[in-house]
Amino acid sequence: MQIHKELDTRGLNCPLPILKAKKSLNEMHSGELLRVVSTDAGSVRDFQAFARQTGNDLVDQQTVGSDFIHVLRRR
């Protein structure tokens, strides 16, 4: 999986990880992948809802230690 942009939102709480992801996705081309790393446990649910609402694909979600990793494909 080729990640085109990575966003570190560790230490930020809802809604900041989503807002920063939205801004980054708006700067990307269709089909490109954005990897977001967060420490907010609520981000798992938030990114699922964000993907449904915006039409971007949530390609992957993982929990690694205290990090929650989300990979989105720009629509």
Side-chain angles (χ1 to χ4, degrees), residues 1 9 16 18 21 24-26 29 31 35 44 46 48 51 58-59 62 65 67-68 73:
M1 190 169 7
T9 64
L16 290 175
I18 292 289
S24 290
L25 285 166
N26 285 338
H29 297 288
R35 181 175 187 257
V44 173
D46 294 343
Q48 292 168 356
L58 184 59
V59 178
Q62 296 178 23
D67 291 341
F68 301 93
R73 177 177 287 117

Side-chain angles (χ1 to χ4, degrees), residues 36-52:
V36 183
V37 181
S38 178
T39 50
D40 180 8
S43 68
V44 173
R45 180 186 64 249
D46 294 343
F47 275 96
Q48 292 168 356
F50 174 75
R52 276 194 308 274

Side-chain angles (χ1 to χ4, degrees), residues 10-73:
R10 291 180 189 111
L12 300 178
N13 292 321
C14 179
L16 290 175
I18 292 289
L19 294 174
K20 289 184 174 288
K22 182 178 180 180
K23 183 174 189 259
S24 290
L25 285 166
N26 285 338
E27 298 168 354
M28 296 171 67
H29 297 288
S30 181
E32 290 185 330
L33 295 177
L34 172 65
R35 181 175 187 257
V36 183
V37 181
S38 178
T39 50
D40 180 8
S43 68
V44 173
R45 180 186 64 249
D46 294 343
F47 275 96
Q48 292 168 356
F50 174 75
R52 276 194 308 274
Q53 292 169 0
T54 62
N56 294 297
D57 291 330
L58 184 59
V59 178
D60 190 34
Q61 282 188 309
Q62 296 178 23
T63 303
V64 180
S66 61
D67 291 341
F68 301 93
I69 301 167
H70 316 281
V71 179
L72 295 155
R73 177 177 287 117

